[in-house]
Amino acid sequence: MGQELGIGALLLRRLPGPKEHRTCQPRYLSMNKINARPRSSDSTAAAAAEASPRAPVRHLVLVLGDQLDRGASALDGFDPSQDAIWMAEVAQESEHVWSSKQRTAVFLSAMRHFAAELRAQGWPLHYVALDAPDNCGTLAGELAMAIAFYRPQALVMTAPGDWRVLQDLRGAALAAQVPLEVRDDRHFFSTVRDFAAHAKGRKQLRLEYWYRELRQKNGILMDGKAPAGGQWNFDADNRASFGAKGPGTVPPPSRFAPDATTQEVLALVNTRFASHPGSVADFGWPVTRAQALLALNAFVQERLPFFGEHQDALWEGEVWLYHSHLACALNLKLLGAREVVAAAESAFRAGAAPLPAVEGFIRQILGWREYVRGIYWTQMPQYQERNALGAVADLPDFYWTGETDMACLRDAIGQTLRHGYAHHIQRLMVTGLYALLFGVEPKQVHQWYLAVYVDAVEWVELPNTLGMSQFADGGVMASKPYAASGKYIQRMSNHCKGCRFDPALSVGEAACPFTTLYWDFLLRYETVLTANPRMGMQLKNLARLSTEQRSAIVAQASRHREATPALIRAPGVAP
Ligand SMILES: Cc1cc2nc3c(=O)[nH]c(=O)nc-3n(C[C@H](O)[C@H](O)[C@H](O)COP(=O)(O)OP(=O)(O)OC[C@H]3O[C@@H](n4cnc5c(N)ncnc54)[C@H](O)[C@@H]3O)c2cc1C
Ligand code: SF4
């Protein structure tokens, strides 16, 4: 499978860390000489020439790869006669984690399409292509050079999603002594200040209260002061498996054939990031706003009515099921969160989709998405270092190949490397669960999730991984660890039928590693978890195990760990 996915077996034993980039020199003199217009690849240079910004400018407006929205706050008051937009493709964004080919391609293609729209509008744009000969490889370095060239009175941007990026850009602005104005991101329903105010004085930051507050404030799924249908939450209706017959015929997903721009990007990614995980052979993500809107409409009509009921179900070989696949378009800001929520509510009000499905979907966006953003920005930068359970194991190497006998993991990782996509329960209760039970260092789990999904941006990925999936924040996000045995996967999927392991067994040749590691996890953390009232039932079951059973489980878990190799990191390379 690894070869099929374009991963050379030889390089899999080596986990590439962040690469060193050339030091960016403030080369404004040479830019003046050779660059009366933006530096870009050959194919974009001609188009760029028409709207070349002239130095000096009033505002240099920074647009990042996940801010592809012409209505963004950074562009308020944009005056093409005296301002310019800056966009840069840099290798750092694909190399600070081992970004999959799908993920890099989606960003680059969407950025290039957005740049073409800006040019068509006649807006001055300084666009640095990844393959421009003097691209220095980092956002801060490229920005420093642009500042030196355009000598702006101020830099303006919409609040970036990632803490790291904000620090880098602030550093570049400070070094050049140019003010940086960071504006609120109107894409979201709430600001980080709103979340901080909500969090103040609360012992626990649970989703439900924040979600209700946002529904009331924004009048979403409300009938006057009461929630539509008299209930805030239809979660209990949304946990069904598919049963023995499976999901039946699922509507085909919205996929978009790569146009010339995307094909150019795919070729570039295949060359420049040849050793990176996954493949772009099946690339079909929306990369323009027009495509994203088509995907949204198709979802609302074809999938939304069935969204809730089987939200937690898994089925071998079924990649798309009834999920929306919109996270990527949302996170790149090709779609607004408000318009997605409004489209879902309209379908309910028009009688085209039932309330439990619509409420379940809206809760993901208005609830979870706004909630994890609040957690991220109120907890960073310490949050990324959290490791409440003291987990230290290395990430097993099959996470980068899908080559494992465990059918559920093989399926989830295989589709992840092929499409850059897995749905929530695959992430939480298959790949995430195994990493939790195996005891993988949370930072390594985080780096994997950030690397492999097309929708992966740190503000949403980190809390989901560290907090919800790995319990590494000690309960800031989740009230208990999402620990379960192979029986959970058996109940929610058909994976176990085709697996050489048996989810009912925790010891012996056929023992399911999830089940073994589940009991081993409870044994390892028994003392710590006793204090958690929500773990009562699980610990009660643990108490029924005899001393002999406990020893056999510990021995089996230890053998499984020994037989599960990690990637060997290159000496001196950071994880
Ligand atoms: C370990 C782990 C890592 C994750 N990493 C990311 C990530 O990098 N980027 C990302 O957008 N989501 C992430 N999620 C959340 C969720 O799994 C994805 O948003 C979802 O699977 C994307 O597929 P979809 O668009 O078909 O979502 P759907 O199932 O159709 O859900 C609708 C939308 O709701 C939002 N949403 C759903 N669940 C969450 C959630 N838990 N947190 C925030 N938003 C949510 C997404 O925007 C999604 O598009 C992660 C979850 C886990 C457990
Ligand atoms: S038996 Fe265990 S490893 Fe195999 S598919 Fe089921 S849960 Fe996964």
Side-chain angles (χ1 to χ4, degrees), residues 256-416:
F256 301 89
D259 64 5
T261 302
T262 301
Q263 282 176 19
E264 197 176 296
V265 164
L266 300 183
L268 174 64
V269 168
N270 273 332
T271 315
R272 181 72 187 264
F273 302 109
S275 67
H276 284 230
S279 153
V280 284
D282 293 320
F283 189 91
W285 292 102
V287 288
T288 63
R289 173 155 170 78
Q291 290 177 341
L293 283 171
L294 287 174
L296 170 62
N297 289 337
F299 165 71
V300 169
Q301 281 173 30
E302 295 164 12
R303 294 180 138 74
L304 178 62
F306 312 98
F307 178 82
E309 192 181 352
H310 300 296
Q311 207 177 320
D312 287 3
L314 308 144
W315 201 259
E316 182 84 16
E318 288 287 349
V319 177
W320 312 106
L321 292 167
Y322 291 101
H323 298 273
S324 71
H325 328 125
L326 293 175
C328 176
L330 274 163
N331 294 349
L332 297 182
K333 316 288 161 56
L334 297 176
L335 288 176
R338 291 165 200 273
E339 69 186 329
V340 174
V341 166
E345 177 160 7
S346 297
F348 162 63
R349 300 286 179 196
L355 183 56
V358 172
E359 190 281 317
F361 179 70
I362 287 181
R363 181 153 24 94
Q364 306 309 311
I365 295 179
L366 180 66
W368 282 109
R369 198 160 173 269
E370 302 278 328
Y371 170 76
V372 298
R373 179 166 176 261
I375 296 271
Y376 178 81
W377 279 103
T378 51
Q379 305 280 326
M380 281 294 278
Q382 297 82 358
Y383 197 73
Q384 63 193 338
E385 306 300 332
R386 300 291 302 268
N387 186 357
L389 297 177
V392 292
D394 285 330
L395 187 76
D397 67 358
F398 64 72
Y399 272 77
W400 300 106
T401 64
E403 289 169 2
T404 166
D405 286 350
M406 292 177 268
C408 50
L409 280 162
R410 190 171 58 226
D411 193 57
I413 296 171
Q415 72 169 66
T416 294

Side-chain angles (χ1 to χ4, degrees), residues 237-259:
D237 299 354
N238 289 348
R239 293 201 180 127
S241 71
F242 289 118
K245 286 190 185 152
T249 309
V250 178
S254 296
R255 305 291 284 167
F256 301 89
D259 64 5

Side-chain angles (χ1 to χ4, degrees), residues 299 307 311 322-328 330-331 361 364-365 368-370 372 421-425 427-428 432 449-450 453 455-457 459-462 464-465 468-469:
F299 165 71
F307 178 82
Q311 207 177 320
Y322 291 101
H323 298 273
S324 71
H325 328 125
L326 293 175
C328 176
L330 274 163
N331 294 349
F361 179 70
Q364 306 309 311
I365 295 179
W368 282 109
R369 198 160 173 269
E370 302 278 328
V372 298
Y421 179 80
H423 67 73
H424 186 65
I425 292 302
R427 299 186 203 197
L428 184 65
Y449 278 101
L450 189 56
Y453 290 109
D455 53 49
V457 272
W459 65 266
V460 53
E461 176 278 328
L462 187 70
N464 270 298
T465 303
M468 194 190 301
S469 154

